[in-house]
Each structure stands twice: as C-alpha cells, then as structure tokens.
C-alpha cells in the first residue's frame, strides 16, 4: 500500500542507498557515467567510493566558480567518453547549489536556493543530484 501511494519516491528498502539506486538506473539505460563535485568537501566522492558500479568511470573534485560547472562537466564527459555526466556544486556563502546533468538526450542545469544551515548544503545538494539522475534515468524527467 505504501509503494502504491508513493510510487517512484521510494528508491529502495533496507540496505539500498540512493547512490546505488541512481547508478543502477543509469546502468539499466546503458549509460556510463562520470561525476564532478565542487564545494562539497568530498561528499559526492565519499558516497560513490564504496559502490562497485561498472558504469561509474570516475569522480572528480575540483574548485569551480559559480556558473563554471556546465562547461567543465562537458569537458570531463568528453575526456572520459561517457554517455552521462553529473555535476554538483555547492556555494554555502550564497546558499545555492548548482546541478548539471548530461544524458544522451542533452544537458540540463538547475540552480537551487537552500534555506537551511550552510553546513547541511553539501548533503542536501548530493541527495538532490543523485535523485535527479535516478529519476531521469527512469524516464521521470
């Protein structure tokens, strides 16, 4: 009954993780992936580090300024020759997160305001980015 009401908001149970569900959804589409983080203090890298996902070809942590993520992510996608790339940037001083997702259907970008404590911004941004990847890979746009 819970699954019936919540549908795709549920990504797993018990030991399932959001990062595992996101990479599995990408794999189900035949997408290999590279990820880039900036301003997250390694939060995305740590979340992806323990996964044994064959479709994850790399994770790079770099320092970028606001609005530099889309162009840099495209370069990294080309460097790794991947079908998909996920970029997540956090700017705590401005309380914003930038998310960029490149898939075979094209590139999409979002800039989101964060109203909570700046120390929580990296976790929030990573969760949003991974869930966005999961939902797009499942065709939920």
């Amino acid at each position: 009954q819970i699954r019936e009401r919540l549908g795709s908001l549920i990504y797993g149970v018990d030991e399932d993780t959001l990062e595992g569900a996101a990479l599995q959804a990408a794999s189900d589409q035949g997408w290999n992936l590279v990820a880039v983080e900036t301003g997250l203090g390694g939060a995305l890298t740590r979340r992806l580090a323990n996964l044994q996902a064959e479709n994850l070809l790399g994770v790079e942590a770099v320092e970028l300024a606001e609005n530099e993520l889309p162009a840099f992510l495209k370069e990294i996608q080309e460097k790794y020759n991947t079908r998909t790339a996920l970029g997540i940037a956090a700017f705590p001083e401005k309380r914003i997160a930038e998310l960029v997702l490149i898939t075979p259907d094209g590139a999409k970008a979002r800039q989101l305001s964060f109203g909570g404590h700046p120390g929580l911004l990296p976790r929030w941004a990573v969760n949003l980015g991974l869930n966005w990847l999961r939902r797009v890979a499942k065709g939920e746009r």
Side-chain angles (χ1 to χ4, degrees):
Q1 189 176 29
I2 291 172
R3 284 189 184 279
E4 186 177 303
R5 289 186 180 186
L6 296 178
S8 66
L9 294 176
I10 298 174
Y11 60 81
V13 296
D14 296 329
E15 301 300 316
D16 294 335
T17 63
L18 178 55
E19 53 271 22
L23 290 179
Q24 183 60 53
S27 179
D28 291 347
Q29 291 299 317
W31 296 349
N32 54 9
L33 172 76
V34 64
V36 171
E37 72 167 77
T38 191
L40 299 175
L44 180 61
T45 301
R46 285 189 299 277
R47 294 271 298 265
L48 297 176
N50 295 327
L51 296 176
Q52 302 297 321
E54 291 181 15
N55 64 325
L56 179 62
L57 302 185
V59 182
E60 296 205 11
V62 297
E63 294 297 321
L64 298 171
E66 190 176 346
N67 298 315
E68 291 181 341
L69 184 59
F72 184 81
L73 191 62
K74 184 68 177 160
E75 289 175 21
I76 292 298
Q77 180 197 24
E78 291 170 2
K79 173 184 167 185
Y80 281 86
N81 193 30
T82 64
R83 299 189 70 195
T84 308
L86 173 65
I88 304 173
F91 302 98
E93 66 285 350
K94 294 184 178 183
R95 293 185 181 221
I96 60 170
E98 290 181 355
L99 307 175
V100 179
L101 182 60
I102 302 171
T103 69
D105 293 332
K108 298 174 179 67
R110 295 179 174 174
Q111 187 175 79
L112 305 165
S113 298
F114 181 67
H117 186 281
L120 300 175
L121 178 57
R123 182 181 179 125
W124 176 77
V126 170
N127 285 341
L128 285 177
L130 290 171
N131 195 49
W132 190 26
L133 170 62
R134 179 186 71 86
R135 292 180 62 118
V136 168
K138 290 196 162 283
E140 297 174 20
R141 310 277 176 231

